[in-house]
Amino acid sequence: MELNRLFWGSRRGMLELDLILLPFLDNVYPTLEQDDKERYWKLLEAEDQDMFAWFLHREVPEDPDLKRIVDIVRANTGPTAK
């Protein structure tokens, strides 16, 4: 997927998600394996409220692919990022 489309797909209706996804897109996404990049594309199809709950550890995605990319995003964003 082209970077411009990813940028606009990563801009969400919630500022909190923008603050997670946009830095992830800039700093981590380019280093991902192709399978994980495709998982990120799938993540962008999720509802904002679902993503918000996942990133705040309130819920866990049922889909194993989404769970993997959510775990990667969590590990690389926020105060506990590597």
Side-chain angles (χ1 to χ4, degrees):
M1 184 176 291
E2 95 181 52
L3 193 55
N4 192 40
R5 287 184 65 198
L6 282 173
F7 172 79
W8 288 108
S10 297
R11 298 244 5 231
R12 309 304 292 197
M14 296 176 69
L15 175 61
E16 297 86 350
L17 292 178
D18 289 353
L19 295 173
I20 293 169
L21 295 175
L22 293 175
F24 180 84
L25 181 63
D26 287 340
N27 301 318
V28 180
Y29 178 84
T31 67
L32 295 177
E33 298 290 332
Q34 185 62 32
D35 289 345
D36 289 330
K37 287 181 178 182
E38 292 175 17
R39 289 180 180 100
Y40 186 77
W41 306 343
K42 186 175 181 178
L43 175 68
L44 295 180
E45 296 174 6
E47 296 292 326
D48 287 359
Q49 294 298 328
D50 291 335
M51 277 195 261
F52 189 68
W54 297 336
F55 294 140
L56 291 181
H57 300 265
R58 292 181 181 163
E59 296 178 16
V60 176
E62 292 180 17
D63 182 311
D65 285 333
L66 287 177
K67 182 181 180 325
R68 175 169 169 76
I69 194 63
V70 165
D71 288 344
I72 292 170
V73 172
R74 285 178 183 164
N76 289 283
T77 58
T80 60
K82 295 177 188 173

